[in-house]
Amino acid sequence: MYRSKIVGTGFYVPPRVVTNHDLEKLMDTSDEWIQQRTGIKERHYVEDGVGAADLAYEASKRALQSAGMKPEDIDFIVFATLSPDYALPGSGVLLQHYIGARNVGAIDIRDQCTGFLYSLMVADNAIRVGQYKNVLVVGAEVHSTGLDFSTGGRDVTVLFGDGAGAVILTATEEKNKGILSTHLHAEGKYFDKLWTEWPSSKRIPRITHKILDNGGHYPYMDGQFVFKHAVKRMVEVINEALEFNGYTVEDIGMVIPHQANLRINQMVARKMGIPDEKMYNNIHKYGNTTAATIPIALTEALQEGKIKDGDLVIMASFGAGFTWASAAMIW
Ligand code: UT7
């Protein structure tokens, strides 16, 4: 019986840094408000012409390099994004082309902030049943081209950044190594608490000049509602991962949480009794990069030596949908 383990990680953010002070020049906000309410200091934005698959390409190159693999070693690609380069086709096929992989399957997963963990479930199970040996799993987002930079959009716009993270999962027969479990959840009744309504395929036409003029194509979020659910569900799903595998909070080596708001992660840590040093946060540098946050954070935590061989690592996320998920692994 195979299970999967991560043998390579990599991330990439575009070079343009946008600080909170830069945003102060565009809308009525302040560095103080953003830092106090979210923990974010800066984020990275793409230049015109750079898409999610371009960021994913850079992250995947680094993940392949860290795994000591070549593009032709990859058997399957899973691409998580809410901001695909085009309405169609998906970004997975672009990445397959850009990295020069064989003509392997490439799927897009659209589960927003939880997209990377949903993708990990797909990849892990494809390996467990023996269908593939090496799977490239990527989370990549370009938010900056779809945000409202007027004061009306400030509550959402200041939160998000562009970036990509990638991991290579490979089949292993080692007993105490690799992905132990994935747990996924959704509660679709809250679909419109965090969403982008337009363009919509159920509307004729899908978008109008009037909708565009009113900013209906920008994301909307009921921030406080999302915040409360995020804390509750993150705690639940981390506990679910621990209980399923017979562990307790004391066994945790590192939690790699989604990066939506530093205060969410601090509240989750406090409620669960997880010490600060076991809750990895890097939102101050990148903002919320949605499907990319967990693979970026995992890569950085490894580069900083914060995850050691044999550590129990719990990844957990909550986001639009609502969706939430966790994965437990032994590093
Ligand atoms: O990744 C997907 C999941 N996403 C999340 O989990 C995000 C969850 N939500 C949040 O992180 C927080 O709710 C926000 C950061 C979005 C907002 O923080 P908050 O502490 O909930 O603030 P609030 O929405 O209650 O707004 C407080 C005040 C309001 O002004 P009044 O009505 O008190 O006068 C807002 O208009 O802050 C104002 N405000 C801002 N002020 C300066 C909202 N955004 C900004 C801003 N700059 N960017």
Side-chain angles (χ1 to χ4, degrees), residues 27-30 33-34 37-38 113 154-155 158-160 194 221 223-224 226-227 230 258-261 263-264 288 290 318-320:
M27 62 185 82
D28 181 12
T29 190
S30 67
W33 190 97
I34 300 171
R37 303 281 179 133
T38 73
C113 301
R154 66 182 178 177
D155 58 329
V158 301
L159 305 176
F160 290 97
L194 174 47
M221 174 166 67
Q224 289 191 6
V226 175
F227 190 107
H258 176 48
Q259 307 289 310
N261 187 322
R263 288 189 298 132
I264 292 177
N288 180 351
T290 310
F318 176 91

PDB file of all heavy atoms in Angstrom, residues 27-30 33-34 37-38 113 154-155 158-160 194 221 223-224 226-227 230 258-261 263-264 288 290 318-320, ligand 1:
ATOM      1  N   MET A  27      -6.306  54.914  -1.810  1.00  0.00           N
ATOM      2  CA  MET A  27      -7.610  54.809  -1.132  1.00  0.00           C
ATOM      3  C   MET A  27      -7.475  55.309   0.293  1.00  0.00           C
ATOM      4  O   MET A  27      -6.364  55.496   0.791  1.00  0.00           O
ATOM      5  CB  MET A  27      -8.072  53.341  -1.141  1.00  0.00           C
ATOM      6  CG  MET A  27      -7.131  52.429  -0.393  1.00  0.00           C
ATOM      7  SD  MET A  27      -7.554  50.684  -0.499  1.00  0.00           S
ATOM      8  CE  MET A  27      -6.849  50.243  -2.077  1.00  0.00           C
ATOM      9  N   ASP A  28      -8.634  55.499   0.949  1.00  0.00           N
ATOM     10  CA  ASP A  28      -8.628  55.969   2.325  1.00  0.00           C
ATOM     11  C   ASP A  28      -8.363  54.786   3.255  1.00  0.00           C
ATOM     12  O   ASP A  28      -9.289  54.112   3.713  1.00  0.00           O
ATOM     13  CB  ASP A  28      -9.985  56.627   2.641  1.00  0.00           C
ATOM     14  CG  ASP A  28     -10.033  57.155   4.064  1.00  0.00           C
ATOM     15  OD1 ASP A  28      -8.960  57.214   4.712  1.00  0.00           O
ATOM     16  OD2 ASP A  28     -11.134  57.483   4.534  1.00  0.00           O
ATOM     17  N   THR A  29      -7.097  54.504   3.494  1.00  0.00           N
ATOM     18  CA  THR A  29      -6.706  53.434   4.415  1.00  0.00           C
ATOM     19  C   THR A  29      -5.421  53.857   5.102  1.00  0.00           C
ATOM     20  O   THR A  29      -4.893  54.942   4.809  1.00  0.00           O
ATOM     21  CB  THR A  29      -6.537  52.089   3.671  1.00  0.00           C
ATOM     22  OG1 THR A  29      -6.386  51.038   4.626  1.00  0.00           O
ATOM     23  CG2 THR A  29      -5.321  52.092   2.738  1.00  0.00           C
ATOM     24  N   SER A  30      -4.916  53.044   6.015  1.00  0.00           N
ATOM     25  CA  SER A  30      -3.663  53.411   6.682  1.00  0.00           C
ATOM     26  C   SER A  30      -2.858  52.155   6.994  1.00  0.00           C
ATOM     27  O   SER A  30      -3.425  51.086   7.225  1.00  0.00           O
ATOM     28  CB  SER A  30      -3.947  54.172   7.986  1.00  0.00           C
ATOM     29  OG  SER A  30      -4.551  53.308   8.913  1.00  0.00           O
ATOM     30  N   TRP A  33      -4.031  50.745  10.304  1.00  0.00           N
ATOM     31  CA  TRP A  33      -5.269  49.933  10.271  1.00  0.00           C
ATOM     32  C   TRP A  33      -4.958  48.551   9.706  1.00  0.00           C
ATOM     33  O   TRP A  33      -5.351  47.536  10.280  1.00  0.00           O
ATOM     34  CB  TRP A  33      -6.349  50.627   9.413  1.00  0.00           C
ATOM     35  CG  TRP A  33      -7.701  49.968   9.529  1.00  0.00           C
ATOM     36  CD1 TRP A  33      -8.725  50.344  10.342  1.00  0.00           C
ATOM     37  CD2 TRP A  33      -8.166  48.788   8.837  1.00  0.00           C
ATOM     38  NE1 TRP A  33      -9.805  49.490  10.204  1.00  0.00           N
ATOM     39  CE2 TRP A  33      -9.487  48.521   9.283  1.00  0.00           C
ATOM     40  CE3 TRP A  33      -7.616  47.928   7.891  1.00  0.00           C
ATOM     41  CZ2 TRP A  33     -10.252  47.447   8.814  1.00  0.00           C
ATOM     42  CZ3 TRP A  33      -8.367  46.852   7.424  1.00  0.00           C
ATOM     43  CH2 TRP A  33      -9.673  46.622   7.888  1.00  0.00           C
ATOM     44  N   ILE A  34      -4.241  48.524   8.599  1.00  0.00           N
ATOM     45  CA  ILE A  34      -4.016  47.231   7.930  1.00  0.00           C
ATOM     46  C   ILE A  34      -3.184  46.316   8.830  1.00  0.00           C
ATOM     47  O   ILE A  34      -3.510  45.133   9.005  1.00  0.00           O
ATOM     48  CB  ILE A  34      -3.346  47.422   6.548  1.00  0.00           C
ATOM     49  CG1 ILE A  34      -4.220  48.287   5.634  1.00  0.00           C
ATOM     50  CG2 ILE A  34      -3.083  46.062   5.893  1.00  0.00           C
ATOM     51  CD1 ILE A  34      -3.560  48.706   4.322  1.00  0.00           C
ATOM     52  N   ARG A  37      -5.314  45.231  12.023  1.00  0.00           N
ATOM     53  CA  ARG A  37      -6.465  44.348  11.779  1.00  0.00           C
ATOM     54  C   ARG A  37      -6.105  43.057  11.067  1.00  0.00           C
ATOM     55  O   ARG A  37      -6.866  42.103  11.101  1.00  0.00           O
ATOM     56  CB  ARG A  37      -7.513  45.064  10.920  1.00  0.00           C
ATOM     57  CG  ARG A  37      -8.024  46.348  11.481  1.00  0.00           C
ATOM     58  CD  ARG A  37      -9.058  46.097  12.572  1.00  0.00           C
ATOM     59  NE  ARG A  37      -9.519  47.353  13.120  1.00  0.00           N
ATOM     60  CZ  ARG A  37     -10.792  47.647  13.320  1.00  0.00           C
ATOM     61  NH1 ARG A  37     -11.733  46.781  13.034  1.00  0.00           N
ATOM     62  NH2 ARG A  37     -11.118  48.809  13.830  1.00  0.00           N
ATOM     63  N   THR A  38      -4.946  43.043  10.366  1.00  0.00           N
ATOM     64  CA  THR A  38      -4.648  41.867   9.533  1.00  0.00           C
ATOM     65  C   THR A  38      -3.239  41.304   9.705  1.00  0.00           C
ATOM     66  O   THR A  38      -2.993  40.166   9.334  1.00  0.00           O
ATOM     67  CB  THR A  38      -4.806  42.203   8.023  1.00  0.00           C
ATOM     68  OG1 THR A  38      -3.701  43.021   7.610  1.00  0.00           O
ATOM     69  CG2 THR A  38      -6.109  42.907   7.730  1.00  0.00           C
ATOM     70  N   CYS A 113      -9.480  29.552  -1.028  1.00  0.00           N
ATOM     71  CA  CYS A 113      -8.417  29.464  -0.024  1.00  0.00           C
ATOM     72  C   CYS A 113      -8.125  28.024   0.380  1.00  0.00           C
ATOM     73  O   CYS A 113      -7.058  27.717   0.894  1.00  0.00           O
ATOM     74  CB  CYS A 113      -8.800  30.269   1.211  1.00  0.00           C
ATOM     75  SG  CYS A 113      -9.082  31.982   0.794  1.00  0.00           S
ATOM     76  N   ARG A 154     -11.759  48.925  -0.179  1.00  0.00           N
ATOM     77  CA  ARG A 154     -10.575  48.822   0.689  1.00  0.00           C
ATOM     78  C   ARG A 154     -10.588  47.619   1.624  1.00  0.00           C
ATOM     79  O   ARG A 154      -9.542  47.062   1.943  1.00  0.00           O
ATOM     80  CB  ARG A 154     -10.402  50.109   1.516  1.00  0.00           C
ATOM     81  CG  ARG A 154     -11.517  50.337   2.522  1.00  0.00           C
ATOM     82  CD  ARG A 154     -11.348  51.645   3.280  1.00  0.00           C
ATOM     83  NE  ARG A 154     -12.467  51.820   4.197  1.00  0.00           N
ATOM     84  CZ  ARG A 154     -12.570  52.824   5.037  1.00  0.00           C
ATOM     85  NH1 ARG A 154     -11.631  53.753   5.081  1.00  0.00           N
ATOM     86  NH2 ARG A 154     -13.614  52.908   5.839  1.00  0.00           N
ATOM     87  N   ASP A 155     -11.802  47.220   2.101  1.00  0.00           N
ATOM     88  CA  ASP A 155     -11.842  46.131   3.090  1.00  0.00           C
ATOM     89  C   ASP A 155     -11.313  44.830   2.503  1.00  0.00           C
ATOM     90  O   ASP A 155     -10.710  44.013   3.206  1.00  0.00           O
ATOM     91  CB  ASP A 155     -13.255  45.937   3.656  1.00  0.00           C
ATOM     92  CG  ASP A 155     -14.291  45.644   2.578  1.00  0.00           C
ATOM     93  OD1 ASP A 155     -14.123  46.134   1.449  1.00  0.00           O
ATOM     94  OD2 ASP A 155     -15.259  44.916   2.876  1.00  0.00           O
ATOM     95  N   VAL A 158      -6.993  45.466   0.409  1.00  0.00           N
ATOM     96  CA  VAL A 158      -5.737  45.513   1.169  1.00  0.00           C
ATOM     97  C   VAL A 158      -5.255  44.119   1.591  1.00  0.00           C
ATOM     98  O   VAL A 158      -4.096  43.945   1.964  1.00  0.00           O
ATOM     99  CB  VAL A 158      -5.849  46.422   2.419  1.00  0.00           C
ATOM    100  CG1 VAL A 158      -6.229  47.836   2.015  1.00  0.00           C
ATOM    101  CG2 VAL A 158      -6.839  45.864   3.442  1.00  0.00           C
ATOM    102  N   LEU A 159      -6.160  43.143   1.538  1.00  0.00           N
ATOM    103  CA  LEU A 159      -5.828  41.812   2.066  1.00  0.00           C
ATOM    104  C   LEU A 159      -5.018  40.950   1.107  1.00  0.00           C
ATOM    105  O   LEU A 159      -4.253  40.088   1.543  1.00  0.00           O
ATOM    106  CB  LEU A 159      -7.112  41.036   2.403  1.00  0.00           C
ATOM    107  CG  LEU A 159      -8.118  41.674   3.351  1.00  0.00           C
ATOM    108  CD1 LEU A 159      -9.357  40.798   3.462  1.00  0.00           C
ATOM    109  CD2 LEU A 159      -7.494  41.883   4.721  1.00  0.00           C
ATOM    110  N   PHE A 160      -5.220  41.151  -0.200  1.00  0.00           N
ATOM    111  CA  PHE A 160      -4.774  40.123  -1.150  1.00  0.00           C
ATOM    112  C   PHE A 160      -3.478  40.461  -1.877  1.00  0.00           C
ATOM    113  O   PHE A 160      -3.184  41.621  -2.154  1.00  0.00           O
ATOM    114  CB  PHE A 160      -5.892  39.838  -2.158  1.00  0.00           C
ATOM    115  CG  PHE A 160      -7.058  39.128  -1.523  1.00  0.00           C
ATOM    116  CD1 PHE A 160      -8.178  39.840  -1.096  1.00  0.00           C
ATOM    117  CD2 PHE A 160      -7.019  37.763  -1.296  1.00  0.00           C
ATOM    118  CE1 PHE A 160      -9.242  39.201  -0.477  1.00  0.00           C
ATOM    119  CE2 PHE A 160      -8.075  37.111  -0.679  1.00  0.00           C
ATOM    120  CZ  PHE A 160      -9.190  37.835  -0.275  1.00  0.00           C
ATOM    121  N   LEU A 194     -18.664  35.563   0.522  1.00  0.00           N
ATOM    122  CA  LEU A 194     -17.361  35.926  -0.050  1.00  0.00           C
ATOM    123  C   LEU A 194     -17.381  35.426  -1.487  1.00  0.00           C
ATOM    124  O   LEU A 194     -17.261  34.225  -1.739  1.00  0.00           O
ATOM    125  CB  LEU A 194     -16.221  35.264   0.761  1.00  0.00           C
ATOM    126  CG  LEU A 194     -14.777  35.407   0.236  1.00  0.00           C
ATOM    127  CD1 LEU A 194     -14.447  36.833  -0.163  1.00  0.00           C
ATOM    128  CD2 LEU A 194     -13.789  34.909   1.267  1.00  0.00           C
ATOM    129  N   MET A 221     -16.952  40.721   0.321  1.00  0.00           N
ATOM    130  CA  MET A 221     -16.835  39.854   1.508  1.00  0.00           C
ATOM    131  C   MET A 221     -17.544  40.479   2.698  1.00  0.00           C
ATOM    132  O   MET A 221     -17.406  41.677   2.953  1.00  0.00           O
ATOM    133  CB  MET A 221     -15.353  39.628   1.864  1.00  0.00           C
ATOM    134  CG  MET A 221     -15.173  38.865   3.174  1.00  0.00           C
ATOM    135  SD  MET A 221     -13.520  38.227   3.443  1.00  0.00           S
ATOM    136  CE  MET A 221     -12.599  39.740   3.627  1.00  0.00           C
ATOM    137  N   GLY A 223     -16.823  40.583   5.964  1.00  0.00           N
ATOM    138  CA  GLY A 223     -15.578  40.278   6.675  1.00  0.00           C
ATOM    139  C   GLY A 223     -15.761  39.663   8.052  1.00  0.00           C
ATOM    140  O   GLY A 223     -15.152  38.643   8.366  1.00  0.00           O
ATOM    141  N   GLN A 224     -16.621  40.283   8.867  1.00  0.00           N
ATOM    142  CA  GLN A 224     -16.758  39.788  10.247  1.00  0.00           C
ATOM    143  C   GLN A 224     -17.394  38.402  10.274  1.00  0.00           C
ATOM    144  O   GLN A 224     -17.025  37.551  11.084  1.00  0.00           O
ATOM    145  CB  GLN A 224     -17.582  40.766  11.070  1.00  0.00           C
ATOM    146  CG  GLN A 224     -16.812  42.046  11.344  1.00  0.00           C
ATOM    147  CD  GLN A 224     -17.509  42.907  12.388  1.00  0.00           C
ATOM    148  OE1 GLN A 224     -18.494  42.503  12.989  1.00  0.00           O
ATOM    149  NE2 GLN A 224     -16.980  44.102  12.591  1.00  0.00           N
ATOM    150  N   VAL A 226     -17.210  36.126   7.895  1.00  0.00           N
ATOM    151  CA  VAL A 226     -16.206  35.164   7.426  1.00  0.00           C
ATOM    152  C   VAL A 226     -15.193  34.899   8.539  1.00  0.00           C
ATOM    153  O   VAL A 226     -14.819  33.751   8.800  1.00  0.00           O
ATOM    154  CB  VAL A 226     -15.498  35.689   6.148  1.00  0.00           C
ATOM    155  CG1 VAL A 226     -14.370  34.748   5.729  1.00  0.00           C
ATOM    156  CG2 VAL A 226     -16.504  35.835   5.011  1.00  0.00           C
ATOM    157  N   PHE A 227     -14.781  35.954   9.214  1.00  0.00           N
ATOM    158  CA  PHE A 227     -13.784  35.837  10.288  1.00  0.00           C
ATOM    159  C   PHE A 227     -14.239  34.840  11.356  1.00  0.00           C
ATOM    160  O   PHE A 227     -13.501  33.929  11.739  1.00  0.00           O
ATOM    161  CB  PHE A 227     -13.566  37.226  10.905  1.00  0.00           C
ATOM    162  CG  PHE A 227     -12.403  37.321  11.844  1.00  0.00           C
ATOM    163  CD1 PHE A 227     -11.242  37.976  11.473  1.00  0.00           C
ATOM    164  CD2 PHE A 227     -12.450  36.774  13.126  1.00  0.00           C
ATOM    165  CE1 PHE A 227     -10.159  38.078  12.333  1.00  0.00           C
ATOM    166  CE2 PHE A 227     -11.375  36.864  14.002  1.00  0.00           C
ATOM    167  CZ  PHE A 227     -10.228  37.525  13.598  1.00  0.00           C
ATOM    168  N   ALA A 230     -14.258  31.345  10.119  1.00  0.00           N
ATOM    169  CA  ALA A 230     -12.892  30.873   9.868  1.00  0.00           C
ATOM    170  C   ALA A 230     -12.282  30.327  11.163  1.00  0.00           C
ATOM    171  O   ALA A 230     -11.727  29.218  11.183  1.00  0.00           O
ATOM    172  CB  ALA A 230     -12.030  32.004   9.304  1.00  0.00           C
ATOM    173  N   HIS A 258      -3.650  28.550   6.631  1.00  0.00           N
ATOM    174  CA  HIS A 258      -3.944  29.546   5.600  1.00  0.00           C
ATOM    175  C   HIS A 258      -3.627  30.937   6.150  1.00  0.00           C
ATOM    176  O   HIS A 258      -3.714  31.174   7.352  1.00  0.00           O
ATOM    177  CB  HIS A 258      -5.422  29.427   5.221  1.00  0.00           C
ATOM    178  CG  HIS A 258      -5.871  30.464   4.247  1.00  0.00           C
ATOM    179  ND1 HIS A 258      -5.163  30.759   3.106  1.00  0.00           N
ATOM    180  CD2 HIS A 258      -6.964  31.268   4.242  1.00  0.00           C
ATOM    181  CE1 HIS A 258      -5.808  31.702   2.440  1.00  0.00           C
ATOM    182  NE2 HIS A 258      -6.890  32.031   3.099  1.00  0.00           N
ATOM    183  N   GLN A 259      -3.244  31.831   5.269  1.00  0.00           N
ATOM    184  CA  GLN A 259      -2.874  33.180   5.688  1.00  0.00           C
ATOM    185  C   GLN A 259      -3.945  34.162   5.211  1.00  0.00           C
ATOM    186  O   GLN A 259      -3.819  34.770   4.134  1.00  0.00           O
ATOM    187  CB  GLN A 259      -1.501  33.564   5.104  1.00  0.00           C
ATOM    188  CG  GLN A 259      -0.391  32.563   5.396  1.00  0.00           C
ATOM    189  CD  GLN A 259       0.042  32.565   6.848  1.00  0.00           C
ATOM    190  OE1 GLN A 259       0.318  33.615   7.428  1.00  0.00           O
ATOM    191  NE2 GLN A 259       0.100  31.385   7.452  1.00  0.00           N
ATOM    192  N   ALA A 260      -5.020  34.288   5.985  1.00  0.00           N
ATOM    193  CA  ALA A 260      -6.082  35.237   5.610  1.00  0.00           C
ATOM    194  C   ALA A 260      -6.027  36.468   6.499  1.00  0.00           C
ATOM    195  O   ALA A 260      -6.333  37.578   6.066  1.00  0.00           O
ATOM    196  CB  ALA A 260      -7.453  34.585   5.732  1.00  0.00           C
ATOM    197  N   ASN A 261      -5.649  36.239   7.754  1.00  0.00           N
ATOM    198  CA  ASN A 261      -5.595  37.321   8.723  1.00  0.00           C
ATOM    199  C   ASN A 261      -4.802  36.787   9.915  1.00  0.00           C
ATOM    200  O   ASN A 261      -5.150  35.746  10.462  1.00  0.00           O
ATOM    201  CB  ASN A 261      -7.032  37.718   9.142  1.00  0.00           C
ATOM    202  CG  ASN A 261      -7.037  38.952  10.004  1.00  0.00           C
ATOM    203  OD1 ASN A 261      -6.162  39.150  10.851  1.00  0.00           O
ATOM    204  ND2 ASN A 261      -8.038  39.806   9.801  1.00  0.00           N
ATOM    205  N   ARG A 263      -4.811  37.671  12.837  1.00  0.00           N
ATOM    206  CA  ARG A 263      -5.642  37.541  14.044  1.00  0.00           C
ATOM    207  C   ARG A 263      -6.428  36.234  14.059  1.00  0.00           C
ATOM    208  O   ARG A 263      -6.690  35.679  15.127  1.00  0.00           O
ATOM    209  CB  ARG A 263      -6.592  38.747  14.170  1.00  0.00           C
ATOM    210  CG  ARG A 263      -5.866  40.040  14.558  1.00  0.00           C
ATOM    211  CD  ARG A 263      -6.852  41.139  14.879  1.00  0.00           C
ATOM    212  NE  ARG A 263      -7.672  41.473  13.727  1.00  0.00           N
ATOM    213  CZ  ARG A 263      -9.000  41.600  13.737  1.00  0.00           C
ATOM    214  NH1 ARG A 263      -9.677  41.415  14.854  1.00  0.00           N
ATOM    215  NH2 ARG A 263      -9.658  41.915  12.640  1.00  0.00           N
ATOM    216  N   ILE A 264      -6.819  35.758  12.876  1.00  0.00           N
ATOM    217  CA  ILE A 264      -7.518  34.461  12.816  1.00  0.00           C
ATOM    218  C   ILE A 264      -6.578  33.376  13.342  1.00  0.00           C
ATOM    219  O   ILE A 264      -6.944  32.586  14.216  1.00  0.00           O
ATOM    220  CB  ILE A 264      -7.954  34.120  11.366  1.00  0.00           C
ATOM    221  CG1 ILE A 264      -9.052  35.073  10.901  1.00  0.00           C
ATOM    222  CG2 ILE A 264      -8.418  32.650  11.267  1.00  0.00           C
ATOM    223  CD1 ILE A 264      -9.506  34.864   9.460  1.00  0.00           C
ATOM    224  N   ASN A 288      -2.814  37.788   1.632  1.00  0.00           N
ATOM    225  CA  ASN A 288      -3.536  36.531   1.396  1.00  0.00           C
ATOM    226  C   ASN A 288      -3.386  36.164  -0.079  1.00  0.00           C
ATOM    227  O   ASN A 288      -3.930  36.850  -0.939  1.00  0.00           O
ATOM    228  CB  ASN A 288      -5.013  36.721   1.779  1.00  0.00           C
ATOM    229  CG  ASN A 288      -5.846  35.474   1.582  1.00  0.00           C
ATOM    230  OD1 ASN A 288      -5.385  34.491   0.999  1.00  0.00           O
ATOM    231  ND2 ASN A 288      -7.080  35.522   2.044  1.00  0.00           N
ATOM    232  N   THR A 290      -4.417  33.273  -1.202  1.00  0.00           N
ATOM    233  CA  THR A 290      -5.483  32.276  -1.407  1.00  0.00           C
ATOM    234  C   THR A 290      -4.913  30.855  -1.577  1.00  0.00           C
ATOM    235  O   THR A 290      -4.319  30.345  -0.656  1.00  0.00           O
ATOM    236  CB  THR A 290      -6.392  32.741  -2.562  1.00  0.00           C
ATOM    237  OG1 THR A 290      -6.757  34.092  -2.285  1.00  0.00           O
ATOM    238  CG2 THR A 290      -7.669  31.936  -2.671  1.00  0.00           C
ATOM    239  N   PHE A 318      -9.407  27.791   5.516  1.00  0.00           N
ATOM    240  CA  PHE A 318     -10.832  28.136   5.447  1.00  0.00           C
ATOM    241  C   PHE A 318     -10.988  29.246   4.423  1.00  0.00           C
ATOM    242  O   PHE A 318     -10.153  30.146   4.355  1.00  0.00           O
ATOM    243  CB  PHE A 318     -11.323  28.652   6.810  1.00  0.00           C
ATOM    244  CG  PHE A 318     -12.758  29.099   6.771  1.00  0.00           C
ATOM    245  CD1 PHE A 318     -13.787  28.211   7.054  1.00  0.00           C
ATOM    246  CD2 PHE A 318     -13.094  30.400   6.398  1.00  0.00           C
ATOM    247  CE1 PHE A 318     -15.119  28.618   6.987  1.00  0.00           C
ATOM    248  CE2 PHE A 318     -14.420  30.808   6.328  1.00  0.00           C
ATOM    249  CZ  PHE A 318     -15.433  29.919   6.625  1.00  0.00           C
ATOM    250  N   GLY A 319     -12.055  29.177   3.642  1.00  0.00           N
ATOM    251  CA  GLY A 319     -12.270  30.270   2.690  1.00  0.00           C
ATOM    252  C   GLY A 319     -13.611  30.235   2.005  1.00  0.00           C
ATOM    253  O   GLY A 319     -14.540  29.544   2.451  1.00  0.00           O
ATOM    254  N   ALA A 320     -13.684  30.993   0.913  1.00  0.00           N
ATOM    255  CA  ALA A 320     -14.939  31.190   0.186  1.00  0.00           C
ATOM    256  C   ALA A 320     -15.568  29.853  -0.147  1.00  0.00           C
ATOM    257  O   ALA A 320     -14.891  28.855  -0.386  1.00  0.00           O
ATOM    258  CB  ALA A 320     -14.689  31.997  -1.083  1.00  0.00           C
TER     259      ALA A 320
HETATM  260  O1  UT7 B   1      -9.179  33.988   2.802  1.00  0.00           O
HETATM  261  C1  UT7 B   1     -10.557  33.898   2.801  1.00  0.00           C
HETATM  262  C2  UT7 B   1     -11.098  34.094   4.144  1.00  0.00           C
HETATM  263  N1  UT7 B   1     -11.017  35.474   4.498  1.00  0.00           N
HETATM  264  C3  UT7 B   1     -10.987  35.815   5.761  1.00  0.00           C
HETATM  265  O2  UT7 B   1     -10.947  34.938   6.592  1.00  0.00           O
HETATM  266  C4  UT7 B   1     -11.045  37.253   6.113  1.00  0.00           C
HETATM  267  C5  UT7 B   1     -11.951  37.429   7.308  1.00  0.00           C
HETATM  268  N2  UT7 B   1     -12.211  38.807   7.698  1.00  0.00           N
HETATM  269  C6  UT7 B   1     -11.245  39.665   8.118  1.00  0.00           C
HETATM  270  O3  UT7 B   1     -10.080  39.342   8.078  1.00  0.00           O
HETATM  271  C7  UT7 B   1     -11.663  40.992   8.704  1.00  0.00           C
HETATM  272  O4  UT7 B   1     -13.055  40.983   8.902  1.00  0.00           O
HETATM  273  C8  UT7 B   1     -11.260  42.216   7.821  1.00  0.00           C
HETATM  274  C9  UT7 B   1      -9.761  42.414   7.864  1.00  0.00           C
HETATM  275  C10 UT7 B   1     -11.750  42.046   6.418  1.00  0.00           C
HETATM  276  C11 UT7 B   1     -11.888  43.487   8.406  1.00  0.00           C
HETATM  277  O5  UT7 B   1     -11.482  43.667   9.748  1.00  0.00           O
HETATM  278  P1  UT7 B   1     -12.571  43.960  10.878  1.00  0.00           P
HETATM  279  O6  UT7 B   1     -11.822  44.139  12.130  1.00  0.00           O
HETATM  280  O7  UT7 B   1     -13.619  42.892  10.825  1.00  0.00           O
HETATM  281  O8  UT7 B   1     -13.137  45.360  10.437  1.00  0.00           O
HETATM  282  P2  UT7 B   1     -14.633  45.757  10.045  1.00  0.00           P
HETATM  283  O9  UT7 B   1     -15.035  45.149   8.754  1.00  0.00           O
HETATM  284  O10 UT7 B   1     -15.519  45.555  11.219  1.00  0.00           O
HETATM  285  O11 UT7 B   1     -14.467  47.300   9.819  1.00  0.00           O
HETATM  286  C12 UT7 B   1     -14.120  48.199  10.892  1.00  0.00           C
HETATM  287  C13 UT7 B   1     -13.968  49.587  10.333  1.00  0.00           C
HETATM  288  C14 UT7 B   1     -15.140  50.018   9.449  1.00  0.00           C
HETATM  289  O12 UT7 B   1     -15.365  51.387   9.680  1.00  0.00           O
HETATM  290  P3  UT7 B   1     -16.552  51.880  10.674  1.00  0.00           P
HETATM  291  O13 UT7 B   1     -17.799  51.319  10.072  1.00  0.00           O
HETATM  292  O14 UT7 B   1     -16.213  51.291  12.007  1.00  0.00           O
HETATM  293  O15 UT7 B   1     -16.437  53.358  10.601  1.00  0.00           O
HETATM  294  C15 UT7 B   1     -14.611  49.847   8.057  1.00  0.00           C
HETATM  295  O16 UT7 B   1     -15.236  50.699   7.117  1.00  0.00           O
HETATM  296  O17 UT7 B   1     -12.798  49.655   9.489  1.00  0.00           O
HETATM  297  C16 UT7 B   1     -13.164  50.203   8.219  1.00  0.00           C
HETATM  298  N3  UT7 B   1     -12.292  49.625   7.196  1.00  0.00           N
HETATM  299  C17 UT7 B   1     -11.094  50.146   6.884  1.00  0.00           C
HETATM  300  N4  UT7 B   1     -10.436  51.236   7.332  1.00  0.00           N
HETATM  301  C18 UT7 B   1      -9.215  51.472   6.808  1.00  0.00           C
HETATM  302  C19 UT7 B   1     -12.487  48.520   6.456  1.00  0.00           C
HETATM  303  N5  UT7 B   1     -11.427  48.304   5.662  1.00  0.00           N
HETATM  304  C20 UT7 B   1     -10.552  49.306   5.903  1.00  0.00           C
HETATM  305  C21 UT7 B   1      -9.274  49.631   5.393  1.00  0.00           C
HETATM  306  N6  UT7 B   1      -8.653  50.715   5.859  1.00  0.00           N
HETATM  307  N7  UT7 B   1      -8.671  48.873   4.458  1.00  0.00           N
END
